[in-house]
Amino acid sequence: MNASQATNQAIQANTGNQVLPVVFNILDKWSCTQAQQMALLGLSSRSTLNKYRSHPESAKVSNDLLERMSYILNIHKCLRILFSAEESVYQWVQKPNAHPFFAGRSAMDVMTQGKVVDLYQVASRLNAWRGGKS
């Protein structure tokens, strides 16, 4: 790894550490369980989740975690554009959805299957629904 790559990695990790508390705030407002939070963030250990919550500055922010946080922020942004009522912004992800893609599942059911692509699929649909590019 050259110096430029090392610098970029350090900036990326620092940015991720600063964004982590914002993401946890969103997950709390979405009423996510610990298991849902772990699936959304791609974490395999409750102790890691608790450590990241209590000391976000010490989190090891991988590219995978950064990408997952980016999708969560994007989904939140889309929901804030689509809905004017706060309760809709924060409750939509947990409610069953009749759209053919969701087939009666909630967005949370889709997003917590464990893959980054699951977050992407929800984010891209919300982007399209709000009139953005997917």
Side-chain angles (χ1 to χ4, degrees), residues 15-116:
T15 301
N17 294 118
Q18 292 173 3
V19 171
L20 204 49
V22 176
V23 169
F24 280 126
N25 187 45
I26 292 168
L27 298 181
D28 288 343
K29 289 185 176 187
W30 284 353
S31 300
C32 293
T33 65
Q34 275 192 331
Q36 289 171 329
Q37 291 175 45
M38 289 169 55
L40 290 168
L41 298 175
L43 303 176
S44 58
S45 155
R46 286 186 195 274
S47 61
T48 301
L49 176 70
N50 292 331
K51 177 183 167 193
Y52 285 11
R53 273 188 158 281
S54 59
H55 300 290
E57 71 283 353
S58 68
K60 293 192 182 353
V61 180
S62 65
N63 287 337
D64 180 73
L65 179 56
L66 198 61
E67 184 176 6
R68 289 169 180 275
M69 290 191 302
S70 174
Y71 285 127
I72 291 167
L73 292 171
N74 182 273
I75 290 165
H76 175 69
K77 175 185 168 187
C78 288
L79 292 171
R80 293 198 63 76
I81 291 169
L82 288 167
F83 299 112
S84 57
E86 285 286 308
E87 63 272 4
S88 295
V89 170
Y90 295 113
Q91 294 175 5
W92 181 86
V93 296
Q94 297 283 1
K95 291 185 176 183
N97 194 312
H99 183 276
F101 169 76
F102 293 102
R105 301 173 298 170
S106 70
M108 188 61 64
D109 291 336
V110 173
M111 294 186 300
T112 54
Q113 293 178 75
K115 296 177 276 191
V116 174

